[in-house]
Amino acid sequence: MEAAQIPQQRAEQLLDAAVRYTEERHWDVCPGAWLEPAGGMERCSCGEAGCAAPGAHPTRADWAERATGSGAAAHRMWSQQPRASILLPTGRAFDAIDVPESAGFLALARMERMSLPLGPVTRTPDRRMQFLVLPGSAAKADGLVRQVGWDAAAIGLRGIGEGHYIAAPPTRVGGAGAVQWARSPSTTNRWLPEVEELISPLAYACGREAADARGRLS
C-alpha cells in the first residue's frame, strides 16, 4: 500500500508547474483527473476500470471553458486538488504534432543538426512525442505529409489542435510514469515554429520507423 502513495512533493510540483506555465509561457491550463491509491495499486479518479488515460484526462465536459491563463486562478485550482493532472488546451497558444517516440528522437536529432527552429517537445509514458508548433498547424498536418509522399495515419503522425489538449509535465499517466520534456520550454524557444518547417523531417522519421517495424514483422 505504501508504494502507491503519492508524495506531497509530487503535489507541490504540479501546482508550481501549472502556475509557471501560465506566468512564464502564457499558456492556458486546466486541472484534470488524478491517480488515487487503491488496493496497493493506483486507479484514475474517474473510477472507470478501463480508463484509457488514467490520471490524465478532463473531468468535466466544460473543461475547455474552465481552462485559465491566470497564475492566481491556477494556484487556486491546484490548491483545491493538488494531485490534479495538468492539461494544456491545444489550438490556443500552440498546436502539437504527435509522433512515435522512436521517430521523434530521430527527427529531433536531425532537426538540431539542420539548425531548424524548434519549440518545446514532450515525451509521454506511452512512447509518444509531441512537438509544439504554432496554433492552426494541426489542420494542415495531413495535407503537408501527403505533399512529401506519406500518409499521416499510416506512419503514426497526427496533429492535435483546437478542441483537444496535451498532458503537461510532470503529470503521471497510470503506472506508466510521468510526462517529461524532451526539449524543455526556455527563453530560446519562446517563439514556436511553423509546421511547414518541421513536417518533412518528422514525416521522414515516422515513415522510416514504420517501414522498419513492418520489416521486423515480416
Side-chain angles (χ1 to χ4, degrees):
M1 175 69 77
E2 181 132 359
Q5 292 179 355
I6 301 173
Q8 183 62 31
Q9 182 183 8
R10 164 74 193 163
E12 291 170 351
Q13 290 174 348
L14 284 162
L15 186 154
D16 291 345
V19 172
R20 190 168 62 252
Y21 293 144
T22 62
E23 293 183 344
E24 296 181 5
R25 301 299 294 200
H26 305 293
W27 291 343
D28 285 359
V29 298
C30 179
W34 59 91
L35 297 173
E36 295 181 332
M41 302 176 65
E42 290 177 325
R43 68 178 182 187
C44 185
S45 61
C46 72
E48 292 291 333
C51 180
H57 63 81
T59 59
R60 301 163 48 140
D62 63 347
W63 68 270
E65 290 76 21
R66 194 179 180 217
T68 179
S70 161
H75 191 282
R76 183 174 63 254
M77 287 176 171
W78 270 268
S79 294
Q80 292 170 351
Q81 181 43 259
R83 292 180 292 174
S85 55
I86 303 173
L87 307 181
L88 305 178
T90 46
R92 298 184 184 184
F94 59 83
D95 282 0
I97 303 300
D98 180 275
V99 301
E101 181 184 79
S102 54
F105 276 120
L106 179 67
L108 190 58
R110 186 180 183 197
M111 289 188 283
E112 287 175 340
R113 288 196 303 270
M114 297 169 66
S115 298
L116 291 178
L118 286 166
V121 182
T122 68
R123 178 186 181 192
T124 67
D126 60 348
R127 303 182 66 83
R128 305 287 297 182
M129 289 177 71
Q130 296 161 342
F131 289 71
L132 272 54
V133 289
L134 287 173
S137 296
K140 306 176 187 176
D142 284 5
L144 290 170
V145 171
R146 282 196 299 272
Q147 288 178 19
V148 294
W150 302 94
D151 177 86
I155 61 176
L157 182 153
R158 70 186 186 104
I160 307 175
E162 187 174 359
H164 299 278
Y165 62 89
I166 63 170
T171 295
R172 285 195 304 134
V173 185
V179 182
Q180 301 174 24
W181 288 113
R183 203 167 185 275
S184 300
S186 70
T187 55
T188 61
N189 59 25
R190 183 169 296 280
W191 305 108
L192 299 178
E194 299 270 3
V195 66
E196 289 86 351
E197 297 174 293
L198 307 188
I199 206 69
S200 181
L202 282 172
Y204 171 80
C206 288
R208 176 174 163 179
E209 290 298 305
D212 288 348
R214 288 194 297 270
R216 289 192 293 269
L217 292 174
S218 61

